[in-house]
Amino acid sequence: MGEKLICNNKKAYHDYFIEDKFEAGMVLQGTEVKSLRAGKANLNDSFMMVKNGEAYLHNLNISQYEFGNRQNHQPDRHRKLLLHRKEIDRLYGRIREQGYSVVPLRLYFKDGLVKVEIGLAKGKKNYDKREDLKKKDTQREISQTLKSRNRD
């Protein structure tokens, strides 16, 4: 079947160095899945925390389903992530270190199931962000000059 992207977290790549990536399932309600199929989700400012040995995703906003009834879901509730015990323990150990956090990178459907790709991230300083922007600008300029040369 393949993958169908729901949303990306571009801000995560700007604000963090991503050191490791994991794929996790999520425990969702029915109306949440319907909203995700409509593409109504926002990953910005969301993060993972471990509580009582279980991983939860905080600040993930899935808009309420338009055609839902009184049993519609809460848009910003904490959602449980489905990870292996070893992965949770490893992530929890790294989160406790200074400067590390776990952020969601993208949300997608894989074989009909909702998956979230989370990344072990270390925060960037402002000068790191400026350096990345400079690299991106120079790459863009180089590719534009190469395109213009190829046309001539």
Side-chain angles (χ1 to χ4, degrees), residues 1-4 37 109-113:
M1 264 181 112
E3 293 182 2
K4 181 184 177 236
R37 290 207 186 279
F109 284 104
K110 182 176 180 182
D111 298 330
L113 301 174

Side-chain angles (χ1 to χ4, degrees), residues 2-119:
E3 293 182 2
K4 181 184 177 236
L5 185 68
I6 299 168
C7 63
N8 255 339
N9 190 357
K10 294 179 184 177
K11 188 177 177 187
Y13 289 100
H14 182 326
D15 291 341
Y16 300 99
F17 293 113
I18 307 299
E19 294 188 2
D20 205 0
K21 295 179 183 179
F22 298 91
E23 180 181 71
M26 288 178 29
V27 177
L28 297 172
Q29 296 176 351
T31 54
E32 289 176 319
V33 176
K34 291 179 179 184
S35 290
L36 289 175
R37 290 207 186 279
K40 299 191 176 190
N42 186 1
L43 286 175
N44 292 345
D45 301 326
S46 56
F47 58 96
M48 187 198 89
M49 288 187 67
V50 177
K51 183 177 180 181
N52 296 331
E54 296 178 339
Y56 289 93
L57 199 58
H58 293 257
N59 292 349
L60 169 62
N61 190 339
I62 299 176
S63 300
Q64 285 194 341
Y65 184 56
E66 296 173 15
F67 307 107
N69 54 17
R70 61 187 170 155
Q71 295 176 355
N72 218 342
H73 68 275
Q74 293 292 328
D76 54 354
R77 69 179 187 92
H78 306 313
R79 291 168 178 90
K80 185 176 176 180
L81 294 179
L82 304 173
L83 289 163
H84 292 284
R85 167 66 42 213
K86 288 181 181 179
E87 292 174 335
I88 292 173
D89 293 341
R90 180 171 173 224
L91 289 171
Y92 182 63
R94 296 300 293 267
I95 289 172
R96 292 195 350 234
E97 290 181 28
Q98 187 66 29
Y100 280 100
S101 60
V102 178
V103 293
L105 303 175
R106 63 190 183 111
L107 195 61
Y108 56 95
F109 284 104
K110 182 176 180 182
D111 298 330
L113 301 174
V114 178
K115 300 287 184 177
V116 61
E117 182 178 55
I118 56 176

Side-chain angles (χ1 to χ4, degrees), residues 103-146:
V103 293
L105 303 175
R106 63 190 183 111
L107 195 61
Y108 56 95
F109 284 104
K110 182 176 180 182
D111 298 330
L113 301 174
V114 178
K115 300 287 184 177
V116 61
E117 182 178 55
I118 56 176
L120 180 64
K122 190 168 178 90
K124 284 185 182 178
K125 304 285 187 214
N126 281 336
Y127 57 84
D128 291 327
K129 294 177 189 178
R130 285 193 296 268
E131 193 174 302
D132 284 349
L133 288 175
K134 285 179 189 176
K135 285 180 185 177
K136 211 179 270 186
D137 287 340
T138 55
Q139 286 288 54
R140 189 179 309 117
E141 289 174 12
I142 290 170
S143 65
Q144 286 176 352
T145 55
L146 288 176

